Amino acid sequence: MIKHPTRALRLTALLLMISLLVTGCALLPTAISGTVRGPVYSGDTVTISVEEYERLLKYAELEEMRQIVSEYFYQEPDEQAMLDGAAMGMLYGLEDPYTFYYDTEAFQKMWEEDEGEYAGIGIQIMANYNTGVCTITRVFLDSPALEVGVRRGDILTRVEDIDVTAVNLSDAVDIMRGEIGKPVNVQVMRDGELMDFVITRAVVHTNWVNSCMLDEQIGYISLYEFSGDCAPTFAVQMNQLLGQGARALVLDLRDNPGGWVDDAQKIADLFLPEGTLATLTYRDGTTEYYHLTTDGKEIDIPLVVLINEFSASASEILSGALQDYGRATIVGVQSYGKGVVQYVLPVGSRGAGMQLTVAQYFTPNGNEVHKVGITPDVVAEWPEEDGNMYQLGDLNDAQLRVAYEKALELLAQ
């Protein structure tokens, strides 16, 4: 995702113009001129251009529906809720799972979660839009979910009275993010068996980065998401590992769903020289380059990156770049394959927002990622019978063990 791109500023201006047109559609003009470039107000008369008038006509059917509802619906309608629903429906028509509308409350919650502290039960979920399955990919430390026994790998099947799928996952998340101290009923499937939990909501503190030494010479960093303060925290923890004697590093991006591209760029800068991080291609065929910067202090120790089928988006940008530059050995299984990026934009004046897929990205060597993923250099499968949620740096974790052994091998070269 991208917070404040140049192209997005132009798009924001367009959205604001559309918003003005939609909200003003009840003011039908009494004069039309093909030479007028903007609305001209004179008493109760509004003069607009032919182009703007034709745009208004596109929304005439929606306005007609609103008036019918206002006149005949059996209860007093909530017009703002109707407008929110219309906005959601407009973006739903794009049939893109990564494009959607945030109402005011949802947009605020999204930014709160990015800051790393929110009220909930403390789980991270990956939705598969092909199968509809929602898998719990992380249970936060000291969280209510961890306390009752929810595990990594559990499939979220039900929250209160909602049967959870990828389509309605946001509704389920809203319920789990409810009032502190209040219980929520959550059902998961584990090894084919349904399990029910009553989990009391609490303040959840998100630790984006965690690290330890695997032995006296190999450091380990687990990066859970490209959000919040993950980039500076990553740098601090990496330097701590180096100070403890780390001569090689294992970077764990398993279950990392991605996040802000800027954070991936900052972390890549720690390991790579000046160059291209990724190439974005837009609908009109134009390209944009995410550039690596350098201060000449890149870390030059052996690096192993661990990925799995839930490593997506910014995780794939980072691991793809490290692989293309020959800077890291990629261990694990084929990654998720989310090779598109989104703008996150404010909409209107009420604090609402939207997320819009705007471009496809490619690795520095031009490799396609979308629906393909990153292919590991060393394949390491997760054993089907292994349902454990290992503690940080536990080498009983079969995939981590392979990455560790690869780091030892690189050290010996």
Side-chain angles (χ1 to χ4, degrees):
M1 297 187 294
I2 306 172
K3 292 181 182 177
H4 303 296
T6 302
R7 292 173 65 108
L9 295 178
R10 297 197 295 269
L11 182 58
T12 301
L14 174 61
L15 292 170
L16 289 172
M17 181 177 68
I18 292 174
S19 175
L20 288 172
L21 291 173
V22 173
T23 56
C25 64
L27 298 173
L28 296 179
T30 57
I32 302 173
S33 169
T35 60
V36 177
R37 288 292 176 260
V40 177
Y41 298 89
S42 177
D44 60 354
T45 301
V46 180
T47 303
I48 62 174
S49 69
V50 171
E51 181 182 6
E52 289 172 334
Y53 179 71
E54 290 174 347
R55 289 181 183 178
L56 285 175
L57 290 180
K58 292 182 180 180
Y59 298 95
E61 186 175 312
L62 287 175
E63 171 58 16
E64 180 182 349
M65 294 169 63
R66 186 201 65 78
Q67 291 179 8
I68 292 171
V69 169
S70 180
E71 183 76 19
Y72 297 110
F73 190 60
Y74 81 107
Q75 292 180 339
E76 187 69 27
D78 183 337
E79 289 202 354
Q80 188 56 60
M82 292 172 62
L83 289 172
D84 286 342
M88 293 177 189
M90 179 184 292
L91 297 182
Y92 182 78
L94 295 174
E95 298 183 348
D96 174 36
Y98 307 113
T99 293
F100 44 82
Y101 172 77
Y102 295 99
D103 62 23
T104 303
E105 183 179 359
F107 202 47
Q108 180 181 354
K109 285 183 178 179
M110 188 274 290
W111 290 115
E112 288 176 354
E113 187 168 339
D114 183 60
E115 291 300 318
E117 183 174 298
Y118 63 94
I121 65 172
I123 59 175
Q124 179 174 289
I125 309 163
M126 172 69 77
N128 187 315
Y129 289 94
N130 294 321
T131 65
V133 172
C134 298
T135 304
I136 296 173
T137 56
R138 183 184 173 206
V139 182
F140 294 120
L141 298 174
D142 303 319
S143 67
L146 182 63
E147 184 177 338
V148 301
V150 176
R151 295 181 184 174
R152 172 190 179 277
D154 288 347
I155 296 172
L156 185 64
T157 55
R158 192 173 180 85
V159 175
E160 293 294 344
D161 59 351
I162 294 180
D163 292 322
V164 180
T165 68
V167 174
N168 64 8
L169 177 60
S170 61
D171 295 329
V173 170
D174 286 343
I175 294 173
M176 292 185 287
R177 293 275 300 270
E179 185 179 350
I180 295 174
K182 297 294 184 180
V184 59
N185 294 296
V186 174
Q187 183 185 78
V188 303
M189 178 177 290
R190 183 185 302 164
D191 299 327
E193 177 184 355
L194 292 175
M195 306 178 67
D196 294 295
F197 298 95
V198 178
I199 308 175
T200 301
R201 304 178 184 92
V203 174
V204 175
H205 300 276
T206 305
N207 53 311
W208 305 117
V209 186
N210 215 342
S211 62
C212 67
M213 293 292 291
L214 296 178
D215 62 17
E216 67 279 359
Q217 58 182 349
I218 297 179
Y220 171 76
I221 299 182
S222 184
L223 176 59
Y224 302 114
E225 191 169 334
F226 293 84
S227 297
D229 63 351
C230 74
T233 302
F234 184 97
V236 168
Q237 295 197 23
M238 183 184 67
N239 286 328
Q240 289 175 345
L241 293 174
L242 295 174
Q244 295 173 44
R247 297 176 51 236
L249 187 67
V250 174
L251 169 56
D252 194 345
L253 296 179
R254 288 178 298 175
D255 306 324
N256 185 319
W260 302 113
V261 178
D262 289 348
D263 289 328
Q265 181 178 356
K266 291 173 184 175
I267 292 172
D269 282 338
L270 298 173
F271 301 101
L272 293 172
E274 187 172 356
T276 299
L277 174 68
T279 303
L280 275 60
T281 302
Y282 294 90
R283 182 179 68 187
D284 61 5
T286 61
T287 58
E288 181 178 347
Y289 297 93
Y290 268 88
H291 293 289
L292 296 159
T293 59
T294 180
D295 58 5
K297 300 178 181 178
E298 292 78 29
I299 305 302
D300 190 26
I301 62 175
L303 179 63
V304 177
V305 177
L306 191 53
I307 61 173
N308 68 0
E309 65 274 23
F310 299 121
S311 304
S313 190
S315 293
E316 294 171 301
I317 288 178
L318 177 59
S319 56
L322 291 170
Q323 185 180 53
D324 278 6
Y325 280 97
R327 180 61 187 83
T329 301
I330 311 299
V331 172
V333 297
Q334 198 83 6
S335 63
Y336 186 79
K338 181 181 178 291
V340 288
V341 297
Q342 290 74 39
Y343 289 165
V344 178
L345 303 164
V347 175
S349 59
R350 300 180 304 107
M354 65 182 291
Q355 178 172 305
L356 179 69
T357 300
V358 296
Q360 184 172 350
Y361 71 81
F362 299 84
T363 70
N365 287 347
N367 297 321
E368 187 171 9
V369 176
H370 196 49
K371 298 182 180 180
V372 177
I374 302 298
T375 301
D377 301 305
V378 178
V379 175
E381 302 276 356
W382 182 269
E384 290 186 9
E385 70 280 1
D386 192 342
N388 291 325
M389 187 178 67
Y390 294 103
Q391 297 297 319
L392 185 75
D394 188 342
L395 290 175
N396 289 310
D397 175 340
Q399 289 180 317
L400 177 56
R401 185 76 194 184
V402 174
Y404 169 73
E405 290 172 351
K406 184 62 183 179
L408 287 175
E409 179 185 326
L410 292 173
L411 272 180
Q413 293 178 356

